[in-house]
Amino acid sequence: SFFVHTLEDEILLSLLSAMHDHKAVFLRIKSTKSENFRETEGVPLKIFISTRTGRRFLCLYLPRSRRFASARLDAIKEVKLKEPFSDYSKVKEKLEKNKDLVWGVSFQNCGHRHLERVKLTLHIDENSEGFILNRLKREGRSGTISRIAPDTFTYETQVFDANEMLPWIRTFIGRILSLECTAESVEKRFYDDLETMYHMYGIDENCADA
């Protein structure tokens, strides 16, 4: 239960009204990192809620660029309802087909037929760490889990933006044998973060397991 959402409820009500009537909206959005504002027009389709932080996001379709986007509800400061959007059902159906490929709320590569592949190799003690496998199955969504050797498993999946997976992937540190990703920047960021941690805690990285 997140009581802070009370401050967003007026914005949420306007967005839900637009969804109910299949209308486009004008949004005035404040940057979460500065005092700058931006304005945009789009078609609100769904509200996503983070199970980790409780933060709420609006998923909307941007007709001009023909893509999906998201915005934090607490960053939206003004909503104005516009005219009905004639293709509302069509874009809503497209969203439903694509949302399983979204790890968080980023639709970065949606519409470009480009998916980022992630392969995580883990050491899991089969006798005492069955709960880790259960967690992979529960939290890994549509990913595939394979046993490739005794106490060694791979988890593989495809998503639009693999960068969003990093906080989840890091929770397996201590069991990670390797991380491979078709997005080189994601792989580099993961290993750079590990190297930073090694130096921070004075760990000899030549002797440390991931």
Side-chain angles (χ1 to χ4, degrees):
S1 180
F2 296 88
F3 296 107
V4 68
H5 293 331
T6 303
L7 301 175
E8 307 164 3
D9 283 348
E10 185 175 353
I11 293 294
L12 178 62
L13 178 59
S14 297
L15 293 171
L16 292 176
S17 296
M19 292 180 201
H20 181 270
D21 295 331
H22 294 185
K23 289 185 176 181
V25 294
F26 165 87
L27 300 177
R28 190 163 181 264
I29 304 171
K30 182 181 180 299
S31 170
T32 57
K33 298 180 180 179
S34 70
E35 296 300 314
N36 297 329
F37 284 83
R38 63 184 175 92
E39 297 177 350
T40 189
E41 289 190 16
V43 183
L45 299 171
K46 207 174 190 70
I47 303 296
F48 290 148
I49 303 175
S50 169
T51 56
R52 186 169 59 90
T53 65
R55 185 172 288 148
R56 301 189 292 189
F57 296 82
L58 167 68
C59 171
L60 69 163
Y61 177 73
L62 305 178
R64 290 182 180 177
S65 54
R66 298 182 180 179
R67 66 180 181 87
F68 295 108
S70 60
R72 279 173 47 172
L73 237 64
D74 61 344
I76 301 173
K77 302 305 178 184
E78 183 181 357
V79 179
K80 292 182 180 179
L81 272 61
K82 308 286 286 187
E83 65 282 347
F85 184 70
S86 58
D87 289 331
Y88 191 93
S89 297
K90 183 178 179 180
V91 295
K92 181 69 177 292
E93 182 180 352
K94 184 178 180 181
L95 170 65
E96 293 300 323
K97 289 180 179 179
N98 283 286
K99 71 177 184 179
D100 288 341
L101 297 172
V102 178
W103 186 264
V105 295
S106 174
F107 291 87
Q108 179 171 296
N109 296 311
C110 182
H112 299 285
R113 297 183 179 180
H114 175 70
L115 292 173
E116 296 174 349
R117 294 177 174 81
V118 176
K119 181 179 180 182
L120 187 63
T121 304
L122 300 164
H123 177 274
I124 301 174
D125 189 313
E126 297 176 61
N127 294 321
S128 63
E129 294 184 323
F131 65 94
I132 298 296
L133 286 174
N134 290 335
R135 184 184 162 206
L136 275 175
K137 294 174 184 176
R138 185 177 69 252
E139 299 179 5
R141 305 183 190 179
S142 56
T144 302
I145 302 170
S146 303
R147 182 180 185 272
I148 60 173
D151 297 331
T152 307
F153 296 81
T154 60
Y155 166 83
E156 298 180 71
T157 192
Q158 298 182 86
V159 294
F160 286 126
D161 187 358
N163 193 64
E164 289 193 309
M165 294 185 65
L166 285 178
W168 180 74
I169 289 172
R170 291 191 192 102
T171 64
F172 294 98
I173 285 178
R175 297 183 174 87
I176 299 174
L177 300 177
S178 68
L179 170 68
E180 301 169 52
C181 183
T182 54
E184 294 181 3
S185 60
V186 173
E187 193 173 314
K188 183 178 185 301
R189 181 181 173 189
F190 174 76
Y191 287 110
D192 284 351
D193 287 348
L194 278 183
E195 187 175 349
T196 299
M197 182 182 70
Y198 291 149
H199 291 306
M200 184 181 298
Y201 291 100
I203 301 172
D204 183 350
E205 57 190 283
N206 294 316
C207 300
D209 292 329

